[in-house]
Amino acid sequence: MRLYENEAKTVFEREGISVPRALGVFERAADIQGNIGPDAPVMLKALVLIGGRGKAGGVRRAAGRAEAVSLATEMLGCEIRGYPVERLLIEEAVEAAGGAAYVGVTMNPADFNVTVIVSPAGGVDIEQVARETPEKILKVELPGNDEVLPEAEAVRLAAFLAAGLPGGAAQVDALKAVISNVYAVFQKYDCKVAEINPLLLTAAGPVAADAKIVLDDNGLYRQEGLFHLLGLATARHDVSEPTRNEVRARAAGFRYVDLLAEDHKKDSEKLYVGLVPGGAGYGIFSIDEVANIGDRFFGGRVIPVNFMDSGGGPTVAQVAEMFDLLFDDEVVDLVITSRFGGISSCDVFIRGLVGCLRERRKTGRRVVPVVGRMVGTDLPSARDFMERAKRETPGELADMLITIGNQKIMAEVIREGIRFAFDRKGWA
Ligand code: GDP
Ligand code: MN
């Protein structure tokens, strides 16, 4: 569950981190008048559960009351990256004389280590800093999942930050305190992410100009105190940032989750496998099985890229879209599919797949091999259709290898599919 910025700031402030003085949260521009001095510089911030608001016009600075009212009028009712702006947080603007830093704590999904990340290049997207100037990031992993950030690590992180910030030398102790406190927030409130970006160095010390907290939904049951502090009666429905593929799948009416980050850099030594499974259970099984078979027989060089669930009875067009989505994703090298036709029909499925492949070949769009198995409802007509299709357009369907019936278990189909794709790439 993601907290709004004002909520996250309430938490950080409670744990000893300075935040800008808030003038209030407003739903109507007219309500602002009495709360801002005529010449007091303020920041207007859209309370939406998404990052990157600054670039999208969701964070604006006003020189005083009149400008704040006019900016608020403009912002309220707008959308920021698809999220309607219904409330604005207004704060005193902070002057960052000594630079802007990034401080974040999260968990490394690969090894579950708590990870502290700091950078003196604050105020920018941290992924961008990682790509363009990785030397400006210090990352410390804590395999012991310590309750309190160890002193030696806190000192090291603070020294790194201080060295990169114009006003850092004078505030190294304060920076150390902020880092330790963000870490404490992460642990105490069962966070997935606790992050300040930017942490501004002012004459009065570091101030968290922005705040992001994502709570681990599995820990919410023991966060009663936090809910009380924030005046929340129940958990909010989690609205995390969907990827392009996830948005596309939602529009087409099927469930889809990307397993890799959207900007994942493809490793040319590895095979990336997209999955079109038959149902949610098979979807999860396929992820595990592809990874396991990759580990056992292919030197760990195989990466499943997605979860998918068509739901009961997809249409031909929906099936085609499920494959189109994966073919359009440049990361995908191979698609493994398993149709276990219970509610849904193998016949509809194969028509969707064949139609998709033919259309893409005709229009010169990207295609990768599709390997899989079909069992269940409407199998005879599905077999007839597929065999006829392969006779009619063998070239267009050369890379479609679908086993019909139960003569092979899915693990064999997956293993053979990966072997086929490895051979294609000329890999051992
Ligand atoms: P985000 O884009 O959603 O992460 O929103 P932020 O709250 O980080 O605001 C975007 C940018 O506005 C920040 O990176 C800062 O550069 C700037 N900003 C926000 N609040 C202040 C402030 O109080 N003072 C100054 N000088 N800049 C601010
Ligand atoms: Mn920010």
Side-chain angles (χ1 to χ4, degrees):
M1 175 175 135
R2 184 166 173 156
L3 299 187
Y4 284 102
E5 179 182 347
N6 57 323
E7 295 170 337
K9 281 178 167 164
T10 299
V11 175
F12 281 135
E13 189 173 28
R14 187 191 203 204
E15 300 301 325
I17 297 168
S18 295
V19 300
R21 196 168 79 83
L23 303 173
V25 171
F26 301 91
E27 288 174 22
R28 301 182 325 152
D31 296 342
I32 294 172
Q33 293 284 358
N35 293 280
I36 300 175
D39 301 308
V42 294
M43 300 299 301
L44 293 90
K45 315 191 75 178
L47 289 176
V48 287
L49 293 172
I50 193 145
R53 296 164 304 167
K55 275 187 230 153
V59 178
R60 311 280 292 271
R61 184 190 165 96
R65 184 191 292 153
E67 193 183 1
V69 172
S70 93
L71 283 177
T73 311
E74 215 176 282
M75 291 169 77
L76 285 163
C78 273
E79 280 195 354
I80 301 296
R81 303 177 60 197
Y83 287 72
V85 179
E86 288 162 353
R87 298 183 303 147
L88 294 177
L89 167 65
I90 302 188
E91 301 175 329
E92 276 180 0
V94 171
E95 297 321 319
Y102 172 95
V103 177
V105 181
T106 187
M107 188 185 278
N108 182 343
D111 51 21
F112 304 114
N113 288 339
V114 178
T115 305
V116 186
I117 301 164
V118 300
S119 170
V124 236
D125 184 16
I126 192 69
E127 279 86 20
Q128 187 188 332
V129 179
R131 267 195 313 273
E132 292 168 9
T133 47
E135 71 281 2
K136 288 189 180 160
I137 290 186
L138 176 61
K139 207 157 126 179
V140 171
E141 291 211 14
L142 296 137
N145 190 18
D146 311 62
E147 197 66 33
V148 173
L149 182 64
E151 174 70 12
E153 300 297 1
V155 167
R156 188 152 78 92
L157 287 156
F160 179 81
L161 262 195
L165 291 162
Q171 300 193 18
V172 61
D173 289 339
L175 286 167
K176 189 182 116 193
V178 171
I179 296 165
S180 301
N181 289 338
V182 175
Y183 186 89
V185 164
F186 178 89
Q187 292 292 22
K188 188 166 165 186
Y189 298 98
D190 294 317
C191 296
K192 293 209 299 198
V193 178
E195 181 186 275
I196 301 174
N197 187 25
L199 176 75
L200 300 179
L201 263 54
T202 74
V207 175
D210 189 16
K212 174 176 174 181
I213 288 181
V214 183
L215 304 171
D216 183 344
D217 290 348
N218 298 307
L220 292 182
Y221 74 95
R222 56 181 189 189
Q223 291 299 338
E224 251 175 73
L226 176 63
F227 276 67
H228 186 74
L229 173 72
L230 300 176
L232 293 172
T234 52
R236 256 193 312 263
H237 174 62
D238 199 12
V239 219
S240 47
E241 282 178 55
T243 64
R244 270 189 301 276
N245 285 341
E246 288 161 5
V247 170
R248 181 171 165 181
R250 196 180 295 171
F254 58 90
R255 284 176 235 280
Y256 181 97
V257 180
D258 270 318
L259 302 179
L260 304 175
E262 203 152 25
D263 55 1
H264 179 83
K265 223 174 131 263
K266 199 169 170 175
D267 180 342
S268 60
E269 307 275 284
K270 291 189 172 151
L271 185 80
Y272 291 77
V273 180
L275 300 166
V276 182
Y282 236 113
I284 292 166
F285 160 82
S286 306
I287 293 167
D288 279 349
E289 201 65 357
V290 165
N292 288 337
I293 289 172
D295 283 349
R296 190 167 303 184
F297 302 109
F298 298 92
R301 293 167 65 198
V302 182
I303 300 177
V305 307
N306 71 292
F307 168 82
M308 195 189 282
D309 172 21
S310 64
T315 61
V316 172
Q318 269 173 330
V319 172
E321 174 66 358
M322 289 158 75
F323 285 99
D324 270 326
L325 184 152
L326 290 174
F327 290 145
D328 283 340
D329 190 337
E330 294 287 330
V331 90
V332 175
D333 297 312
L334 167 72
V335 173
I336 289 181
T337 182
S338 52
R339 185 62 6 188
F340 192 81
I343 303 168
S344 55
S345 154
C346 290
D347 195 51
V348 169
F349 166 77
I350 195 70
R351 283 170 195 274
L353 171 56
V354 166
C356 167
L357 286 169
R358 283 177 169 164
E359 182 61 29
R360 297 185 72 92
R361 290 284 189 207
K362 213 170 290 163
T363 50
R365 279 183 291 162
R366 183 175 186 274
V367 168
V368 299
V370 182
V371 178
R373 189 186 69 160
M374 277 195 295
V375 189
T377 310
D378 292 339
L379 199 59
S381 53
R383 173 190 284 124
D384 289 349
F385 177 85
M386 189 179 92
E387 286 172 356
R388 188 156 31 89
K390 284 214 160 196
R391 280 195 304 274
E392 285 169 5
T393 55
E396 289 174 1
L397 303 177
D399 281 351
M400 184 186 83
L401 308 172
I402 304 290
T403 301
I404 295 183
N406 256 330
Q407 71 269 26
K408 278 183 201 163
I409 59 168
M410 205 47 215
E412 289 175 273
V413 174
I414 292 173
R415 189 174 170 183
E416 287 171 10
I418 295 171
R419 183 72 263 161
F420 176 77
F422 265 56
D423 289 346
R424 267 299 170 77
K425 288 185 177 280
W427 293 353

